[in-house]
Amino acid sequence: MITTKQLHCIDDNTQNQLSILLQACIETGASLGFYQSADKLALSDYWQSVSTEVNAGDRQLYALYHYQELVATVQLALCSKQNGRHRAEVAKLLVLPRMQRKGFATILMKYMEQQASLNSLSLLVLDTQSGDKAEQFYQAIGYTKVGQIPNYVSDINGQLHSTSYYYKYLATTNSSRFVNKMKMK
């Protein structure tokens, strides 16, 4: 059984599961802002910062559970600029390596996009390491590549890699609510 949901807070158990998920993805070589040697404290600190942003309403965290096991997560970093409240940045799409290639990332991304649309977000942007398998995935689910920046990230050996940027427009059903919300601020 698959369950998708937005997490409105991160308790200790969830933070531990998220750290295990992130560590597993890092160990397979995914470019996620950490080297493979990332320690548990650094990962815990990262999730604590995410928790702070979720609690403040600056970030949304989505999770996919397979028979009550957290197997995938993705985040939306909301734009706080007055003229950018219609957009968000997709961050840290993670799927447990042993659960990859089973459709979980697609299910989670579709759920997140539906929720984003319901919340009057019409533009999602993201970046990923150029040449990574994630590029093919994002293109397959409708994201458009707009370019890349060379030498953007380094690996544990100091070798530099490019990062590619993508976007996707979402259909929103609440555009009048969005406009009214903007007028009120």
Side-chain angles (χ1 to χ4, degrees):
M1 182 172 97
I2 296 171
T3 305
T4 52
K5 64 182 178 179
Q6 182 175 350
L7 302 178
H8 297 285
C9 64
I10 302 175
D11 60 28
D12 290 342
N13 181 47
T14 302
Q15 182 172 321
N16 185 51
Q17 291 177 64
L18 288 165
S19 291
I20 290 168
L21 174 57
L22 180 56
Q23 182 67 48
C25 292
I26 291 168
E27 287 174 4
T28 64
S31 178
L32 296 165
F34 297 92
Y35 293 132
Q36 288 180 340
S37 60
D39 66 9
K40 289 182 180 185
L41 180 59
L43 299 181
S44 179
D45 288 347
Y46 169 74
W47 287 112
Q48 186 58 48
S49 70
V50 169
S51 179
T52 299
E53 291 182 39
V54 167
N55 291 339
D58 297 329
R59 185 172 296 264
Q60 296 174 350
L61 179 62
Y62 297 90
L64 183 142
Y65 294 86
H66 183 251
Y67 291 100
Q68 300 180 345
E69 177 187 14
L70 178 64
V71 299
T73 186
V74 68
Q75 302 169 40
L76 277 182
L78 305 175
C79 182
S80 62
K81 296 176 183 170
Q82 188 175 32
N83 67 352
R85 293 190 181 128
H86 65 287
R87 70 178 188 258
E89 180 182 357
V90 177
K92 298 275 190 288
L93 174 61
L94 307 171
V95 179
L96 273 175
R98 65 181 167 76
M99 302 300 272
Q100 292 176 1
R101 313 284 309 159
K102 298 179 187 274
F104 294 136
T106 301
I107 292 167
L108 183 58
M109 288 293 288
K110 284 183 182 179
Y111 176 76
M112 178 272 299
E113 290 170 2
Q114 289 170 347
Q115 296 305 305
S117 182
L118 289 171
N119 287 301
S120 303
L121 295 172
S122 59
L123 176 64
L124 299 181
V125 297
L126 62 87
D127 69 278
T128 190
Q129 186 171 311
S130 301
D132 190 79
K133 62 185 176 181
E135 280 201 279
Q136 295 170 348
F137 170 73
Y138 290 124
Q139 291 171 14
I141 63 169
Y143 284 76
T144 302
K145 185 175 181 176
V146 291
Q148 64 185 42
I149 299 174
N151 303 323
Y152 193 78
V153 296
S154 67
D155 62 24
I156 196 164
N157 299 315
Q159 184 172 347
L160 299 175
H161 301 274
S162 300
T163 289
S164 297
Y165 283 85
Y166 288 83
Y167 75 93
K168 184 175 187 177
Y169 287 114
L170 304 176
T172 60
T173 56
N174 297 326
S175 58
S176 61
R177 189 179 96 199
F178 172 73
V179 171
N180 290 334
K181 199 177 358 175
M182 294 305 295
K183 286 179 183 175
M184 296 170 75
K185 293 190 178 207

